[in-house]
Amino acid sequence: MVAIDIESEEGQREALRRMLTIRAFDTKAGDLFGDGELPGFVHLYIGEEAVAVGACSALEEEDYITSTHRGHGHCIAKGLEPEQMMSELYGKRDGYCNGKGGSMHIADVDAGMLGANGIVGAGPPLATGAALTSHLRGEDTVALAFFGDGAVAQGQIHEAINIAATWNLPAIFLVENNQFGEGTPVEKQHNVQHLSETAEAYNIPGFTVDGMDVTAVFEAVREARKRALDGEGPTFIEADTYRYRGHFEGDQQPYRTKEDVAIWQDRDAIESFKQKLVDAGTITEAEFDEMESEIHDRIEKAAADAKEAPYPDPSEAYEDMFSATVPEINEFARQMRADGGERQ
């Protein structure tokens, strides 16, 4: 999905549509999980939609992103289709990973989505690798890593930023500060006022933006992308945001109060952006209601279709494990299948 200009009326309506799609998808995913329909865990992105949409709107189709365990929003913002995503959550054959990745491991390399990841902090090293590839190939592309505030305490984050900064790579490190690393408040994890201060250690720019403002995120990432393509190296961006649901579905959330959640919900990114567009005459209340209804119906149909879709055949268990560009590894996988999985 190509970049959109959130400063234009068409771009603003598209940004609103993307945020609504993320909200509808994850609301449905939460309902399905609660009903016992989905296997595994799900970690919902509800409340943080402005970060994914603002960031991905500033990227071009050929740019790369890496995600987190809370990756549905990143996927949709980067252009992945809700229908295939829903099939992946159900573990069905026509999902993005043929049903083998599930909620925490959706990927579509062709779309520049290098994968959601169940390992905390795993995305930035992958993005640094993608940025290095872009640099060595002489491509005009960047790699953006989404990661959470809890992940900033992980060593591999700093190794990735250090390499990107030292080698002047076209990377963007975007931390979604949703105020809690699982159940631990951010101020009890880090001895800085703003996580963007991390950038000082690597002599790269660091900024903190309002993650509930899609335009603010868009502008910050657009500037970071320009810097990267101008050969000025990586940028560290902190987006202050909030997840309305628990760390995972079923989280009892003893670490916060309903009043705290309500304070952030009063700043809801979708509602505030919608009101801004209504006040400017970019969209009417009736047009918004129609957009929201269309998206709701699409997600409902995606879920119904995914439920009835076929599962992968057991004979395909050893497929899709290795890159198709490495024939020796694929031969090894084929031999494993032939040996009934007993080859060491």
Side-chain angles (χ1 to χ4, degrees):
M1 184 176 289
V2 297
I4 64 173
D5 182 5
I6 291 183
E7 295 173 344
S8 71
E9 290 189 357
E10 181 180 358
Q12 289 168 350
R13 287 192 293 269
E14 178 58 27
L16 182 61
R17 178 180 292 278
R18 293 187 196 182
M19 287 195 289
L20 282 170
T21 302
I22 295 169
R23 178 72 58 90
F25 183 93
D26 262 8
T27 298
K28 185 63 177 178
D31 291 344
L32 291 170
F33 182 82
D35 291 339
E37 290 283 333
L38 301 180
F41 260 171
V42 293
H43 300 75
L44 304 182
Y45 199 70
I46 297 171
E48 303 181 51
E49 296 88 354
V51 182
V53 172
C56 290
S57 295
L59 302 178
E60 294 292 343
E61 186 172 6
E62 60 269 20
D63 291 331
Y64 300 102
I65 67 168
T66 62
S67 184
T68 68
H69 56 282
R70 199 180 308 282
H72 304 162
H74 307 143
C75 290
I76 292 172
K78 191 63 169 73
L80 274 64
E81 300 294 340
E83 290 80 5
Q84 275 187 267
M85 287 179 55
M86 193 65 78
S87 287
E88 188 60 39
L89 264 62
Y90 266 97
K92 298 304 181 69
R93 176 185 286 172
D94 57 354
Y96 273 104
C97 300
N98 299 326
K100 300 174 184 178
S103 173
M104 287 194 287
H105 298 94
I106 298 177
D108 184 1
V109 176
D110 291 338
M113 169 52 175
L114 301 184
N117 207 306
I119 300 174
V120 176
L126 299 177
T128 294
L132 175 59
T133 299
S134 174
H135 173 72
L136 294 175
R137 290 178 174 175
E139 299 172 345
D140 289 330
T141 59
V142 304
L144 183 149
F146 291 101
F147 53 104
D149 49 282
V152 178
Q154 296 288 331
Q156 67 265 30
I157 296 283
H158 300 276
E159 293 173 12
I161 297 173
N162 183 58
I163 290 175
T166 302
W167 292 352
N168 214 39
L169 300 179
I172 302 170
F173 299 97
L174 201 169
V175 55
E176 297 174 309
N177 184 354
N178 63 28
Q179 313 307 310
F180 294 96
E182 191 163 347
T184 306
V186 64
E187 63 271 15
K188 293 187 177 181
Q189 300 179 71
H190 306 286
N191 192 32
V192 292
Q193 183 177 1
H194 299 292
L195 296 179
S196 57
E197 295 173 38
T198 300
E200 296 179 14
Y202 306 103
N203 195 30
I204 62 174
F207 305 99
T208 297
V209 299
D210 182 0
M212 307 300 276
D213 183 342
V214 66
T215 303
V217 178
F218 169 79
E219 291 174 348
V221 174
R222 180 175 60 177
E223 178 60 27
R225 184 178 189 275
K226 182 179 184 301
R227 286 191 68 259
L229 294 183
D230 286 345
E232 297 178 26
T235 300
F236 188 104
I237 301 170
E238 174 188 18
D240 276 331
T241 184
Y242 202 77
R243 52 173 168 80
Y244 296 167
R245 305 281 277 260
H247 173 69
F248 56 87
E249 288 303 280
D251 180 4
Q252 297 302 303
Q253 306 176 60
Y255 48 85
R256 66 182 182 183
T257 66
K258 293 181 179 179
E259 289 75 20
D260 291 335
V261 178
I263 290 172
W264 282 89
Q265 287 178 324
D266 286 342
R267 299 177 51 211
D268 184 68
I270 295 176
E271 180 59 31
S272 61
F273 191 57
K274 165 230 173 178
Q275 193 58 52
K276 175 183 176 181
L277 301 192
V278 169
D279 292 344
T282 302
I283 193 171
T284 66
E285 291 279 1
E287 288 170 336
F288 174 82
D289 290 343
E290 182 180 2
M291 179 187 294
E292 191 173 38
S293 178
E294 289 176 355
I295 292 169
H296 174 269
D297 291 346
R298 180 184 182 186
I299 298 302
E300 288 292 321
K301 185 177 187 304
D305 290 347
K307 183 176 181 179
E308 299 302 322
Y311 287 101
D313 191 274
S315 66
E316 302 169 1
Y318 288 106
E319 295 180 5
D320 310 311
M321 294 176 64
F322 306 106
S323 171
T325 61
V326 186
E328 295 84 359
I329 294 179
N330 281 279
E331 177 57 34
F332 177 80
R334 283 190 291 271
Q335 190 60 51
M336 284 184 69
R337 291 199 299 274
D339 293 346
E342 297 177 359
R343 185 179 176 88
Q344 298 298 315

